[in-house]
Amino acid sequence: MTPQLRNLLAVYKTTLNSEEFESFEREVNRLLNHYHDLLASYRPGAERATVTHELIEEQISLNSHIKTTCQKGCGACCHLEVEISEDDADRLAQSILQQGIVIDEERLQAQATRQRLDSQWAEGAIQSNRCVLLGDDNACRNYENRPAVCRKHSVVTPVSECETLGGNPVPRLIPLNEIIISSAISQEGNQFGALPKMLAAALTRLRDVQKIHNLDFKDGAESNISPREADPSSEKAP
């Protein structure tokens, strides 16, 4: 489960009577199983990430009456330690390579070497913490393919709470999105980790695959042997 979903269950356990909480917990587990089975029916990687994102966006649309203070160009949360799934990383890396988006590889690798909850992340909006996809205008340069956590995260408090080191931003919580993301990260093999680590690994993996494809294409293009000549058992024409 996501930390937010675990916290919600903990709060309800202390505020509801035992019968009410058991009913609520059963419903949460039913939904977790439902979305787990649904997402399991899609191919791991970019395809499953896309479906997960569509489900999240649907819930955001249904809850649009809950107004947030987030807007294009804020960028404060783009300097935090963000965790994504391997599916998210595959979709993100795939789109970066396909669109030719240039990123600061040196900063990505430096961030990828950090331990979880590294103290450097607590320093806030400094250059070394800056997401490699954040543009000069403080807007995401790959917004269409942003990870699940970036999609569901928004706050209802003033922007100053995000911009001030040690501020107290209050996120908008959509319980079903926490269930959807929990179901996604519970998929077999869908590892969950810091965005820099996951993105760096996905880029390496996809680049290696691309090199193999390029070699196969090159070998095929340079071959002038006809199918008949390539098969010694075939009968040559007179």
Side-chain angles (χ1 to χ4, degrees), residues 88-194:
D88 281 326
D90 279 355
R91 182 179 181 185
L92 199 56
Q94 189 179 95
S95 60
I96 287 171
L97 297 177
Q98 288 177 345
Q99 298 174 34
I101 299 173
V102 178
I103 62 173
D104 188 332
E105 301 270 359
E106 185 176 345
R107 186 162 77 245
L108 179 65
Q109 292 300 329
Q111 292 175 350
T113 61
R114 296 180 182 179
Q115 297 296 317
R116 188 173 184 275
L117 301 178
D118 193 293
S119 60
Q120 292 180 77
W121 292 114
E123 296 177 21
I126 58 176
Q127 182 66 18
S128 60
N129 285 346
R130 193 177 181 84
C131 176
V132 294
L133 288 168
L134 192 61
D136 293 337
D137 58 352
N138 263 9
C140 181
R141 295 186 294 133
N142 200 5
Y143 190 76
E144 292 284 326
N145 299 291
R146 66 197 186 283
V149 68
C150 299
R151 292 172 184 272
K152 65 104 174 177
H153 180 74
S154 56
V155 300
V156 296
T157 41
V159 175
S160 58
E161 293 294 338
C162 298
E163 295 175 338
T164 304
L165 203 58
N168 187 33
V170 177
R172 173 182 62 181
L173 180 64
I174 301 176
L176 196 51
N177 273 347
E178 301 303 328
I179 289 172
I180 292 168
I181 294 176
S182 296
S183 300
I185 63 179
S186 69
Q187 299 293 319
E188 184 177 357
N190 193 19
Q191 297 181 43
F192 195 63

Side-chain angles (χ1 to χ4, degrees), residues 42-83:
Y42 293 90
R43 286 183 300 179
E47 179 180 298
R48 191 163 61 195
T50 300
V51 176
T52 302
H53 297 169
E54 289 173 349
L55 292 170
I56 291 171
E57 292 295 339
E58 180 181 13
Q59 292 306 311
I60 290 173
S61 178
L62 290 173
N63 289 272
S64 61
H65 59 284
I66 305 175
K67 302 303 179 184
T68 67
T69 55
C70 299
Q71 54 187 315
K72 184 177 180 179
C74 287
C77 59
C78 303
H79 294 78
L80 302 176
E81 182 176 26
V82 173
E83 292 187 311

Side-chain angles (χ1 to χ4, degrees), residues 226-238:
S226 68
R228 182 182 291 276
E229 292 172 326
D231 183 3
S233 65
S234 65
E235 181 181 349
K236 293 188 177 182

Side-chain angles (χ1 to χ4, degrees), residues 209-227:
V209 170
Q210 187 61 52
K211 286 177 184 176
I212 294 172
H213 287 173
N214 289 342
L215 285 173
D216 289 344
F217 177 77
K218 182 179 179 182
D219 291 343
E222 290 181 349
S223 175
N224 293 317
I225 301 176
S226 68

